[in-house]
Each structure stands twice: as C-alpha cells, then as structure tokens.
Amino acid sequence: ITTANSTTSEVVVPTVFKWEHGGRHVYITGTFNNWERQIPMHRSGNDFTYVHNLPKGKHAFKFIVDDEWRFAPDQPTIADIEGRINNFIDISEFTPYTGDDQFFEKCKDRKIADEEFSQNIPDLDDYTKEPPALPPHLRHIILNKPTPTIDPQALPVPQYVSLNHLYCTAIKDGLMVLGATQRYKEK
C-alpha cells in the first residue's frame, strides 16, 4: 500500500469515505495522511461521510468511532504487517468520466419510428365524473347540532366510526368551520 507522499502521480481522485455503523463522533485517518491526523467526518443521520482528494494508488484507512479504532466490516479490508485489520481502497485504475463528445450527433442521426409514440385521449367520462360519495357514517357531523343536555359546552357523543376524523363545513360568508374528533380512553 502506497502512502500519499510516495506516489509519483499528480492526479488526485475525490474519494468518498463512509461509516454506516453508528457512533457519536467519527474520525478517519490513513496512509493518505501518514496516520498523523484524525479528520472529523460529517454526520447525516446515523451515517458519517468525508470526501478527500487522494492520489491514485492503494490506500489503507481506519475509523475512530467514539475514541475506539475500528474498521468497517462492509468495506474491503487488509491486514498490516503487525496483524491489525484496516480498510483499504484501490484507485490505481481510476479514470474519470469525461462524457461522450459524439452523443448529440448520435441522437440527431437516430430515427425513431412513429409506432413508438402514441396518444391516448381519455374518454370524457374519465375526468368529468363526480368524486366518490362520502360513506354514510361520516355524514353525521356533530358541529352545530343542538346539545342533548342543558350544559351548552357538552357536544353529542359521536359514533365510534366517526372518531379521529376532521370535519369541515361549506364556506359561508367567507368562513369555513373545522372540527376534529379524537378517541379518548375507550369506545
């Protein structure tokens, strides 16, 4: 495994390092910085990522998770001469994608048969139908009904099928009344 200082190529490759195994504070270090500095990784939910420009070659690295040196079991590993397991990445053969210069010319030359295109004009009934009817048990709105008791604050007890619903009245004089029912304790 080469270190960042021993490679002769000046081409650098933006490399994404990812730790997906939890932790509160995760750092990364490796041959790319001669194991001298712990670089903090960026948290996104439970995952941590870090992008580093690496020279082409093979690089070993390790994660420091909550002050404990760890390797990612779901990434390639290699043992060093002392038997410690590290993760490694090989970017020796990396070639960046530069695009296809002939792409637009190829597209212009391609003839598409008319059979590949069609128009399905929807039937008039498909988009002029009435919306589905409200289920009958939800038509009983408890808003603005006379109270069955003398207490004006008491509302009638809703049917169990109309609990946990939002009710609204039609707009009248620029005002819409909303009401909600919620299940409390038992039926």
Side-chain angles (χ1 to χ4, degrees):
I1 294 180
T2 61
T3 64
N5 295 337
S6 65
T7 186
T8 58
S9 175
E10 293 189 20
V11 177
V12 293
V13 179
T15 307
V16 178
F17 294 97
K18 196 166 191 179
W19 175 260
E20 300 175 317
H21 305 284
R24 294 183 339 143
H25 303 287
V26 180
Y27 300 85
I28 189 168
T29 189
T31 56
F32 50 86
N33 65 2
N34 293 324
W35 305 94
E36 293 174 351
R37 186 170 156 249
Q38 296 180 3
I39 303 167
M41 297 184 73
H42 306 285
R43 182 182 198 132
S44 177
N46 289 332
D47 298 341
F48 293 83
T49 56
Y50 177 70
V51 180
H52 193 81
N53 290 328
L54 295 179
K56 284 188 172 186
K58 296 178 182 179
H59 302 276
F61 60 94
K62 206 154 192 173
F63 300 95
I64 299 98
V65 181
D66 299 331
D67 296 324
E68 182 182 336
W69 288 69
R70 296 182 56 189
F71 66 92
D74 57 339
Q75 298 177 30
T77 57
I78 191 169
D80 63 10
I81 56 173
E82 295 175 6
R84 293 181 294 236
I85 297 176
N86 299 315
N87 291 111
F88 83 97
I89 188 166
D90 183 1
I91 51 175
S92 304
E93 304 298 320
F94 176 80
T95 54
Y97 176 73
T98 57
D100 186 358
D101 294 335
Q102 305 299 321
F103 176 76
F104 291 109
E105 283 73 25
K106 290 177 188 175
C107 291
K108 287 179 190 174
D109 295 338
R110 182 172 178 238
K111 301 296 182 203
I112 301 173
D114 289 339
E115 293 82 37
E116 289 188 45
F117 298 100
S118 65
Q119 282 188 332
N120 294 327
I121 300 173
D123 188 26
L124 185 64
D125 291 337
D126 290 342
Y127 56 91
T128 57
K129 291 179 184 175
E130 288 294 319
L134 187 65
H137 60 276
L138 294 180
R139 291 190 183 144
H140 301 289
I141 298 176
I142 62 173
L143 296 175
N144 300 326
K145 282 196 174 183
T147 57
T149 63
I150 299 173
D151 183 10
Q153 299 294 325
L155 288 174
V157 177
Q159 300 174 12
Y160 72 93
V161 292
S162 64
L163 291 172
N164 297 325
H165 283 22
L166 176 68
Y167 301 95
C168 64
T169 61
I171 298 174
K172 184 177 180 183
D173 298 327
L175 181 68
M176 176 187 278
V177 178
L178 296 174
T181 61
Q182 182 177 354
R183 185 179 304 274
Y184 179 73
K185 291 188 178 180
E186 297 179 19
K187 291 184 184 177

